[in-house]
């Protein structure tokens, strides 16, 4: 009986393992088909350089989406969200509509990964992105990009990270020159201590823990310095926290002479990311911000 149960257990484990392998293969095929479909929808003549290395960790990679015949092209540097512990540079909501829109306008789009919790806390994640940004600047001329005309963009946790870099450029010592401006897509983490001292989602505990020094150092509002680049904060009016956080950041920026605009959108948190590049009025508002930075 014991031997029979052992054989049954082994058989069950084998079946489960084969099922897991099959699921992984099916997921890989779905992702491959989606990637092929996306690449086919880019402007004719576009190219994609995937998995460009900027560090030793497997997450320290970025993808480059190149428009046809790029020459001195401005560069959007995009950072995905995912609560600081998940997400990926190649997700459809992160790149599809943005690449289709801005490549057609002659931009280069870079979408970057970074180490995730528990391998890196938010400050270390910001350091990863600063390193990736510097690598992009160093390589941009070889792609037909202009390293002097770059803009940071991020969604959710990614919006927090690019806002943090924008607030205190000393966190990106290798950036020469700095970016022209930043677009933060629905961050609700401009003031981390305010979040941690109130009722909040568990994901904030995972990201920021109980270290009050980290709360301070990772708060865009608290480290904001005079001379910071202009920032557009897009916020969802369907959330209770995003727009008040953005408004508080803009108010602090005004006292320092830093230009921060808040764009309220009646869109979900996900749609603010996914619809950029597709929804006409929303995309036009972001384009207007870019135009104000001297970009086409």
């Amino acid at each position: 009986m014991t031997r029979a149960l052992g054989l049954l257990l082994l058989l069950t484990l084998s079946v489960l393992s084969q099922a897991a392998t099959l699921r992984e293969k099916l997921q890989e095929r779905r992702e491959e088909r989606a990637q092929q479909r996306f690449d086919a929808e880019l402007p004719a003549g576009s190219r994609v350089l995937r998995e460009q290395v900027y560090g030793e960790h497997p997450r320290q990679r970025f993808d480059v989406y190149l428009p046809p015949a790029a020459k001195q092209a401005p560069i959007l540097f995009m950072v995905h969200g995912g609560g600081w512990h998940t997400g990926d540079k190649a997700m459809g909501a992160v790149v599809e509509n943005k690449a289709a829109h801005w490549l057609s306008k002659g931009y280069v789009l870079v979408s970057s990964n970074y180490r995730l919790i528990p391998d890196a806390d938010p400050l270390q994640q910001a350091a990863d992105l600063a390193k990736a940004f510097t690598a992009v600047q160093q390589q941009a001329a070889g792609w037909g990009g202009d390293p002097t005309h770059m803009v940071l963009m991020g969604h959710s946790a990614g919006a927090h990270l690019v806002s943090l870099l924008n607030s205190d450029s000393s966190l990106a010592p290798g950036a020469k020159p700095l970016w022209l401006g930043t677009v933060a897509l629905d961050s609700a983490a401009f003031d981390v201590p305010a979040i941690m001292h109130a009722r909040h989602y568990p994901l904030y505990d995972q990201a920021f823990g109980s270290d009050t020094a980290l709360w301070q150092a990772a708060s865009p509002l608290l480290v904001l310095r005079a001379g910071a680049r202009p920032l557009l904060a897009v916020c969802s009016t369907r959330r209770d926290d995003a727009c008040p956080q953005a408004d508080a950041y803009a108010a602090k920026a005004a006292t320092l002479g830093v230009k921060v605009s808040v764009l309220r959108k009646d869109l979900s948190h996900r749609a603010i990311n996914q619809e950029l590049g597709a929804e006409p009025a929303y995309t036009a508002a972001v384009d207007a911000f870019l135009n104000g930075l001297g970009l086409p």
Side-chain angles (χ1 to χ4, degrees):
M1 184 68 176
T2 301
R3 182 180 179 184
L5 287 174
L7 291 173
L8 179 60
L9 178 59
L10 288 174
L11 178 61
T12 301
L13 291 174
S14 176
V15 170
L16 291 174
S17 176
Q18 292 177 26
T21 300
L22 179 59
R23 284 195 298 270
E24 290 175 1
K25 289 182 178 179
L26 290 173
Q27 180 62 26
E28 288 175 359
R29 290 175 184 172
R30 283 194 292 267
E31 291 175 354
E32 183 178 351
R33 286 195 295 269
Q35 183 171 298
Q36 291 171 345
R37 174 184 57 78
F38 168 52
D39 290 352
E41 292 174 354
L42 292 174
S46 300
R47 293 187 297 131
V48 185
L49 308 176
R50 301 191 188 279
E51 299 298 319
Q52 303 300 294
V53 176
Y54 70 89
E56 295 181 358
H57 193 279
R59 291 281 308 180
Q60 292 174 321
R61 307 286 188 272
F62 56 78
D63 295 338
V64 184
Y65 299 82
L66 297 169
K71 184 177 181 180
Q72 292 296 105
I75 302 170
L76 283 181
F77 183 88
M78 178 66 195
V79 181
H80 69 80
W84 301 275
H85 69 91
T86 188
D88 188 79
K89 57 183 170 49
M91 293 188 301
V94 175
V95 295
E96 287 189 1
N97 288 327
K98 299 178 188 69
H101 175 72
W102 274 292
L103 264 64
S104 70
K105 291 172 65 69
Y107 283 66
V108 171
L109 175 69
V110 174
S111 185
S112 186
N113 275 348
Y114 49 94
R115 289 172 297 164
L116 300 171
I117 293 169
D119 291 338
D121 66 30
L123 279 180
Q124 293 168 322
Q125 293 173 353
D128 274 9
L129 294 169
K131 185 176 181 180
F133 181 90
T134 300
V136 170
Q137 284 193 312
Q138 292 170 345
Q139 299 173 35
W143 312 324
D146 185 347
T148 70
H149 286 73
M150 292 183 64
V151 174
L152 301 180
M153 181 181 287
H155 174 249
S156 194
H160 161 261
L161 294 171
V162 296
S163 299
L164 184 60
L165 291 174
N166 197 75
S167 297
D168 182 2
S169 60
S170 71
L171 296 172
K176 300 183 187 305
L178 292 178
W179 46 91
L180 299 180
T182 296
V183 181
L185 304 176
D186 212 31
S187 170
F190 285 104
D191 186 347
V192 176
I195 294 169
M196 304 305 289
H197 287 305
R199 187 175 180 182
H200 56 267
Y201 293 111
L203 68 88
Y204 290 111
D205 294 311
Q206 297 170 11
F208 300 103
S210 59
D211 184 351
T212 57
L214 175 62
W215 300 356
Q216 172 81 25
S219 292
L221 183 146
L222 299 179
V223 302
L224 180 61
R225 298 181 176 186
R229 294 298 196 251
L231 182 141
L232 174 65
V234 183
C235 62
S236 170
T237 59
R238 300 184 186 183
R239 303 174 68 191
D240 295 332
D241 49 357
C243 290
Q245 284 259 337
D247 288 337
Y249 184 79
K252 171 73 176 292
T255 69
L256 298 171
V258 176
K259 185 177 180 181
V260 173
S261 304
V262 178
L263 175 63
R264 288 169 163 76
K265 295 301 297 182
D266 182 22
L267 293 169
S268 70
H269 180 64
R270 175 178 173 81
I272 279 181
N273 191 31
Q274 187 168 30
E275 294 302 314
L276 182 56
E279 202 279 325
Y282 173 25
T283 304
V286 175
D287 275 336
F289 172 75
L290 299 178
N291 296 157
L293 301 175
L295 299 178

mmCIF file of all heavy atoms in Angstrom, residues 33-64:
data_model
loop_
_atom_site.group_PDB
_atom_site.id
_atom_site.type_symbol
_atom_site.label_atom_id
_atom_site.label_comp_id
_atom_site.label_asym_id
_atom_site.label_seq_id
_atom_site.Cartn_x
_atom_site.Cartn_y
_atom_site.Cartn_z
ATOM 1 N N ARG A 33 3.359 35.545 -30.190
ATOM 2 C CA ARG A 33 2.381 35.999 -31.179
ATOM 3 C C ARG A 33 2.003 37.455 -30.946
ATOM 4 O O ARG A 33 1.881 38.234 -31.889
ATOM 5 C CB ARG A 33 1.132 35.110 -31.139
ATOM 6 C CG ARG A 33 1.330 33.732 -31.756
ATOM 7 C CD ARG A 33 0.004 33.059 -32.018
ATOM 8 N NE ARG A 33 -0.709 32.779 -30.789
ATOM 9 C CZ ARG A 33 -0.620 31.658 -30.100
ATOM 10 N NH1 ARG A 33 0.173 30.682 -30.530
ATOM 11 N NH2 ARG A 33 -1.321 31.477 -28.996
ATOM 12 N N ALA A 34 1.818 37.825 -29.669
ATOM 13 C CA ALA A 34 1.475 39.206 -29.351
ATOM 14 C C ALA A 34 2.597 40.151 -29.759
ATOM 15 O O ALA A 34 2.358 41.246 -30.278
ATOM 16 C CB ALA A 34 1.185 39.345 -27.856
ATOM 17 N N GLN A 35 3.847 39.725 -29.528
ATOM 18 C CA GLN A 35 4.999 40.544 -29.897
ATOM 19 C C GLN A 35 5.081 40.704 -31.408
ATOM 20 O O GLN A 35 5.340 41.800 -31.919
ATOM 21 C CB GLN A 35 6.278 39.900 -29.367
ATOM 22 C CG GLN A 35 7.542 40.708 -29.621
ATOM 23 C CD GLN A 35 8.723 40.113 -28.884
ATOM 24 O OE1 GLN A 35 8.740 40.046 -27.674
ATOM 25 N NE2 GLN A 35 9.710 39.677 -29.636
ATOM 26 N N GLN A 36 4.841 39.619 -32.147
ATOM 27 C CA GLN A 36 4.868 39.685 -33.600
ATOM 28 C C GLN A 36 3.763 40.599 -34.118
ATOM 29 O O GLN A 36 3.979 41.390 -35.047
ATOM 30 C CB GLN A 36 4.720 38.279 -34.192
ATOM 31 C CG GLN A 36 5.927 37.374 -33.965
ATOM 32 C CD GLN A 36 5.676 35.947 -34.371
ATOM 33 O OE1 GLN A 36 4.527 35.528 -34.582
ATOM 34 N NE2 GLN A 36 6.742 35.167 -34.488
ATOM 35 N N ARG A 37 2.567 40.515 -33.497
ATOM 36 C CA ARG A 37 1.463 41.379 -33.909
ATOM 37 C C ARG A 37 1.805 42.837 -33.647
ATOM 38 O O ARG A 37 1.594 43.710 -34.486
ATOM 39 C CB ARG A 37 0.190 40.990 -33.140
ATOM 40 C CG ARG A 37 -0.992 41.929 -33.399
ATOM 41 C CD ARG A 37 -2.181 41.549 -32.535
ATOM 42 N NE ARG A 37 -1.858 41.548 -31.121
ATOM 43 C CZ ARG A 37 -1.758 42.644 -30.389
ATOM 44 N NH1 ARG A 37 -1.927 43.846 -30.926
ATOM 45 N NH2 ARG A 37 -1.478 42.562 -29.095
ATOM 46 N N PHE A 38 2.379 43.106 -32.470
ATOM 47 C CA PHE A 38 2.739 44.474 -32.110
ATOM 48 C C PHE A 38 3.792 45.025 -33.059
ATOM 49 O O PHE A 38 3.673 46.141 -33.566
ATOM 50 C CB PHE A 38 3.240 44.498 -30.667
ATOM 51 C CG PHE A 38 3.907 45.782 -30.267
ATOM 52 C CD1 PHE A 38 3.276 46.995 -30.464
ATOM 53 C CD2 PHE A 38 5.167 45.778 -29.698
ATOM 54 C CE1 PHE A 38 3.891 48.181 -30.096
ATOM 55 C CE2 PHE A 38 5.783 46.954 -29.325
ATOM 56 C CZ PHE A 38 5.142 48.159 -29.528
ATOM 57 N N ASP A 39 4.834 44.232 -33.329
ATOM 58 C CA ASP A 39 5.885 44.689 -34.230
ATOM 59 C C ASP A 39 5.319 45.004 -35.611
ATOM 60 O O ASP A 39 5.742 45.964 -36.266
ATOM 61 C CB ASP A 39 6.986 43.637 -34.357
ATOM 62 C CG ASP A 39 7.812 43.503 -33.078
ATOM 63 O OD1 ASP A 39 7.623 44.326 -32.164
ATOM 64 O OD2 ASP A 39 8.630 42.563 -32.992
ATOM 65 N N ALA A 40 4.337 44.216 -36.052
ATOM 66 C CA ALA A 40 3.736 44.437 -37.368
ATOM 67 C C ALA A 40 2.927 45.727 -37.410
ATOM 68 O O ALA A 40 2.730 46.302 -38.491
ATOM 69 C CB ALA A 40 2.848 43.244 -37.736
ATOM 70 N N GLU A 41 2.449 46.191 -36.239
ATOM 71 C CA GLU A 41 1.620 47.400 -36.197
ATOM 72 C C GLU A 41 2.434 48.682 -36.060
ATOM 73 O O GLU A 41 1.883 49.776 -36.127
ATOM 74 C CB GLU A 41 0.630 47.291 -35.032
ATOM 75 C CG GLU A 41 -0.430 46.220 -35.233
ATOM 76 C CD GLU A 41 -1.308 46.020 -34.015
ATOM 77 O OE1 GLU A 41 -1.015 46.649 -32.969
ATOM 78 O OE2 GLU A 41 -2.280 45.254 -34.108
ATOM 79 N N LEU A 42 3.740 48.572 -35.859
ATOM 80 C CA LEU A 42 4.587 49.753 -35.791
ATOM 81 C C LEU A 42 4.693 50.383 -37.172
ATOM 82 O O LEU A 42 4.480 49.720 -38.188
ATOM 83 C CB LEU A 42 5.974 49.372 -35.277
ATOM 84 C CG LEU A 42 6.073 48.924 -33.817
ATOM 85 C CD1 LEU A 42 7.476 48.434 -33.508
ATOM 86 C CD2 LEU A 42 5.674 50.042 -32.872
ATOM 87 N N PRO A 43 5.021 51.679 -37.227
ATOM 88 C CA PRO A 43 5.190 52.317 -38.536
ATOM 89 C C PRO A 43 6.172 51.540 -39.411
ATOM 90 O O PRO A 43 7.173 51.007 -38.922
ATOM 91 C CB PRO A 43 5.738 53.701 -38.171
ATOM 92 C CG PRO A 43 5.222 53.959 -36.789
ATOM 93 C CD PRO A 43 5.211 52.626 -36.112
ATOM 94 N N ALA A 44 5.874 51.463 -40.691
ATOM 95 C CA ALA A 44 6.730 50.714 -41.611
ATOM 96 C C ALA A 44 8.164 51.225 -41.531
ATOM 97 O O ALA A 44 8.415 52.432 -41.518
ATOM 98 C CB ALA A 44 6.202 50.858 -43.038
ATOM 99 N N GLY A 45 9.091 50.290 -41.460
ATOM 100 C CA GLY A 45 10.498 50.658 -41.370
ATOM 101 C C GLY A 45 11.020 50.788 -39.956
ATOM 102 O O GLY A 45 12.218 51.033 -39.759
ATOM 103 N N SER A 46 10.148 50.620 -38.963
ATOM 104 C CA SER A 46 10.581 50.684 -37.559
ATOM 105 C C SER A 46 11.403 49.454 -37.208
ATOM 106 O O SER A 46 11.263 48.390 -37.828
ATOM 107 C CB SER A 46 9.371 50.765 -36.632
ATOM 108 O OG SER A 46 8.597 51.915 -36.899
ATOM 109 N N ARG A 47 12.249 49.614 -36.187
ATOM 110 C CA ARG A 47 13.044 48.486 -35.695
ATOM 111 C C ARG A 47 12.952 48.427 -34.177
ATOM 112 O O ARG A 47 12.711 49.449 -33.530
ATOM 113 C CB ARG A 47 14.517 48.633 -36.084
ATOM 114 C CG ARG A 47 14.802 48.534 -37.553
ATOM 115 C CD ARG A 47 16.302 48.526 -37.810
ATOM 116 N NE ARG A 47 16.944 49.764 -37.383
ATOM 117 C CZ ARG A 47 18.041 49.826 -36.634
ATOM 118 N NH1 ARG A 47 18.630 48.717 -36.195
ATOM 119 N NH2 ARG A 47 18.570 50.992 -36.308
ATOM 120 N N VAL A 48 13.141 47.236 -33.625
ATOM 121 C CA VAL A 48 13.132 47.059 -32.171
ATOM 122 C C VAL A 48 14.419 46.361 -31.758
ATOM 123 O O VAL A 48 14.746 45.291 -32.283
ATOM 124 C CB VAL A 48 11.918 46.238 -31.694
ATOM 125 C CG1 VAL A 48 11.887 46.187 -30.165
ATOM 126 C CG2 VAL A 48 10.614 46.835 -32.222
ATOM 127 N N LEU A 49 15.152 46.967 -30.848
ATOM 128 C CA LEU A 49 16.352 46.366 -30.268
ATOM 129 C C LEU A 49 16.000 45.905 -28.863
ATOM 130 O O LEU A 49 15.828 46.728 -27.962
ATOM 131 C CB LEU A 49 17.500 47.389 -30.223
ATOM 132 C CG LEU A 49 17.824 48.110 -31.529
ATOM 133 C CD1 LEU A 49 18.917 49.147 -31.294
ATOM 134 C CD2 LEU A 49 18.230 47.120 -32.600
ATOM 135 N N ARG A 50 15.880 44.610 -28.675
ATOM 136 C CA ARG A 50 15.407 44.081 -27.393
ATOM 137 C C ARG A 50 16.572 43.661 -26.491
ATOM 138 O O ARG A 50 17.646 43.326 -26.953
ATOM 139 C CB ARG A 50 14.475 42.887 -27.614
ATOM 140 C CG ARG A 50 13.257 43.230 -28.461
ATOM 141 C CD ARG A 50 12.211 42.128 -28.444
ATOM 142 N NE ARG A 50 11.148 42.416 -29.413
ATOM 143 C CZ ARG A 50 10.135 43.230 -29.198
ATOM 144 N NH1 ARG A 50 10.020 43.835 -28.018
ATOM 145 N NH2 ARG A 50 9.217 43.443 -30.134
ATOM 146 N N GLU A 51 16.276 43.711 -25.173
ATOM 147 C CA GLU A 51 17.189 43.177 -24.155
ATOM 148 C C GLU A 51 18.574 43.805 -24.221
ATOM 149 O O GLU A 51 19.595 43.114 -24.174
ATOM 150 C CB GLU A 51 17.281 41.649 -24.281
ATOM 151 C CG GLU A 51 15.961 40.923 -24.067
ATOM 152 C CD GLU A 51 15.399 41.130 -22.656
ATOM 153 O OE1 GLU A 51 16.185 41.094 -21.689
ATOM 154 O OE2 GLU A 51 14.172 41.348 -22.537
ATOM 155 N N GLN A 52 18.609 45.115 -24.308
ATOM 156 C CA GLN A 52 19.883 45.824 -24.261
ATOM 157 C C GLN A 52 20.372 45.854 -22.810
ATOM 158 O O GLN A 52 19.628 46.211 -21.897
ATOM 159 C CB GLN A 52 19.722 47.242 -24.808
ATOM 160 C CG GLN A 52 19.176 47.285 -26.233
ATOM 161 C CD GLN A 52 20.069 46.573 -27.222
ATOM 162 O OE1 GLN A 52 21.186 47.001 -27.482
ATOM 163 N NE2 GLN A 52 19.577 45.480 -27.798
ATOM 164 N N VAL A 53 21.610 45.507 -22.590
ATOM 165 C CA VAL A 53 22.154 45.278 -21.242
ATOM 166 C C VAL A 53 22.724 46.572 -20.672
ATOM 167 O O VAL A 53 23.495 47.273 -21.331
ATOM 168 C CB VAL A 53 23.242 44.191 -21.275
ATOM 169 C CG1 VAL A 53 23.875 44.014 -19.908
ATOM 170 C CG2 VAL A 53 22.664 42.878 -21.789
ATOM 171 N N TYR A 54 22.364 46.880 -19.412
ATOM 172 C CA TYR A 54 23.009 48.008 -18.734
ATOM 173 C C TYR A 54 23.558 47.621 -17.355
ATOM 174 O O TYR A 54 24.070 48.470 -16.626
ATOM 175 C CB TYR A 54 22.058 49.205 -18.615
ATOM 176 C CG TYR A 54 20.893 49.041 -17.649
ATOM 177 C CD1 TYR A 54 21.029 49.386 -16.311
ATOM 178 C CD2 TYR A 54 19.658 48.581 -18.091
ATOM 179 C CE1 TYR A 54 19.974 49.256 -15.426
ATOM 180 C CE2 TYR A 54 18.590 48.455 -17.218
ATOM 181 C CZ TYR A 54 18.752 48.801 -15.884
ATOM 182 O OH TYR A 54 17.691 48.679 -15.003
ATOM 183 N N GLY A 55 23.472 46.344 -16.988
ATOM 184 C CA GLY A 55 23.986 45.866 -15.713
ATOM 185 C C GLY A 55 24.030 44.351 -15.701
ATOM 186 O O GLY A 55 23.585 43.690 -16.647
ATOM 187 N N GLU A 56 24.543 43.792 -14.625
ATOM 188 C CA GLU A 56 24.727 42.348 -14.548
ATOM 189 C C GLU A 56 23.450 41.589 -14.194
ATOM 190 O O GLU A 56 23.300 40.426 -14.558
ATOM 191 C CB GLU A 56 25.815 42.029 -13.513
ATOM 192 C CG GLU A 56 27.194 42.534 -13.901
ATOM 193 C CD GLU A 56 28.243 42.171 -12.866
ATOM 194 O OE1 GLU A 56 27.878 41.563 -11.830
ATOM 195 O OE2 GLU A 56 29.427 42.493 -13.083
ATOM 196 N N HIS A 57 22.531 42.219 -13.465
ATOM 197 C CA HIS A 57 21.302 41.535 -13.062
ATOM 198 C C HIS A 57 20.402 41.313 -14.281
ATOM 199 O O HIS A 57 20.338 42.165 -15.175
ATOM 200 C CB HIS A 57 20.564 42.379 -12.008
ATOM 201 C CG HIS A 57 19.470 41.649 -11.310
ATOM 202 N ND1 HIS A 57 18.217 41.499 -11.865
ATOM 203 C CD2 HIS A 57 19.428 41.033 -10.103
ATOM 204 C CE1 HIS A 57 17.447 40.821 -11.020
ATOM 205 N NE2 HIS A 57 18.160 40.523 -9.949
ATOM 206 N N PRO A 58 19.693 40.164 -14.349
ATOM 207 C CA PRO A 58 18.831 39.889 -15.505
ATOM 208 C C PRO A 58 17.751 40.939 -15.745
ATOM 209 O O PRO A 58 17.266 41.080 -16.868
ATOM 210 C CB PRO A 58 18.203 38.532 -15.152
ATOM 211 C CG PRO A 58 19.166 37.894 -14.213
ATOM 212 C CD PRO A 58 19.762 39.013 -13.421
ATOM 213 N N ARG A 59 17.382 41.675 -14.701
ATOM 214 C CA ARG A 59 16.366 42.720 -14.866
ATOM 215 C C ARG A 59 16.959 44.024 -15.402
ATOM 216 O O ARG A 59 16.210 44.923 -15.785
ATOM 217 C CB ARG A 59 15.694 42.996 -13.523
ATOM 218 C CG ARG A 59 14.818 41.891 -12.992
ATOM 219 C CD ARG A 59 13.466 41.849 -13.655
ATOM 220 N NE ARG A 59 12.772 43.121 -13.643
ATOM 221 C CZ ARG A 59 11.562 43.311 -14.172
ATOM 222 N NH1 ARG A 59 10.922 42.310 -14.740
ATOM 223 N NH2 ARG A 59 10.988 44.493 -14.128
ATOM 224 N N GLN A 60 18.239 44.141 -15.447
ATOM 225 C CA GLN A 60 18.864 45.388 -15.894
ATOM 226 C C GLN A 60 19.025 45.366 -17.413
ATOM 227 O O GLN A 60 20.106 45.202 -17.965
ATOM 228 C CB GLN A 60 20.197 45.591 -15.171
ATOM 229 C CG GLN A 60 19.993 45.867 -13.685
ATOM 230 C CD GLN A 60 21.274 45.938 -12.894
ATOM 231 O OE1 GLN A 60 22.214 45.176 -13.128
ATOM 232 N NE2 GLN A 60 21.324 46.855 -11.942
ATOM 233 N N ARG A 61 17.861 45.531 -18.054
ATOM 234 C CA ARG A 61 17.758 45.490 -19.509
ATOM 235 C C ARG A 61 16.740 46.532 -19.972
ATOM 236 O O ARG A 61 15.810 46.869 -19.258
ATOM 237 C CB ARG A 61 17.281 44.108 -19.993
ATOM 238 C CG ARG A 61 18.098 42.925 -19.482
ATOM 239 C CD ARG A 61 19.446 42.828 -20.184
ATOM 240 N NE ARG A 61 20.163 41.605 -19.837
ATOM 241 C CZ ARG A 61 20.989 41.476 -18.796
ATOM 242 N NH1 ARG A 61 21.185 42.511 -17.978
ATOM 243 N NH2 ARG A 61 21.610 40.337 -18.563
ATOM 244 N N PHE A 62 16.918 47.026 -21.206
ATOM 245 C CA PHE A 62 15.908 47.892 -21.793
ATOM 246 C C PHE A 62 15.703 47.523 -23.257
ATOM 247 O O PHE A 62 16.563 46.923 -23.897
ATOM 248 C CB PHE A 62 16.246 49.382 -21.629
ATOM 249 C CG PHE A 62 17.585 49.810 -22.184
ATOM 250 C CD1 PHE A 62 17.778 50.009 -23.555
ATOM 251 C CD2 PHE A 62 18.660 50.042 -21.330
ATOM 252 C CE1 PHE A 62 19.003 50.416 -24.056
ATOM 253 C CE2 PHE A 62 19.897 50.451 -21.828
ATOM 254 C CZ PHE A 62 20.071 50.636 -23.197
ATOM 255 N N ASP A 63 14.525 47.868 -23.782
ATOM 256 C CA ASP A 63 14.202 47.685 -25.195
ATOM 257 C C ASP A 63 14.172 49.051 -25.868
ATOM 258 O O ASP A 63 13.755 50.043 -25.260
ATOM 259 C CB ASP A 63 12.840 47.015 -25.372
ATOM 260 C CG ASP A 63 12.798 45.596 -24.826
ATOM 261 O OD1 ASP A 63 13.875 44.972 -24.695
ATOM 262 O OD2 ASP A 63 11.681 45.117 -24.522
ATOM 263 N N VAL A 64 14.588 49.091 -27.126
ATOM 264 C CA VAL A 64 14.632 50.336 -27.889
ATOM 265 C C VAL A 64 13.748 50.202 -29.122
ATOM 266 O O VAL A 64 13.933 49.280 -29.936
ATOM 267 C CB VAL A 64 16.072 50.676 -28.317
ATOM 268 C CG1 VAL A 64 16.113 52.023 -29.037
ATOM 269 C CG2 VAL A 64 17.018 50.667 -27.127
#
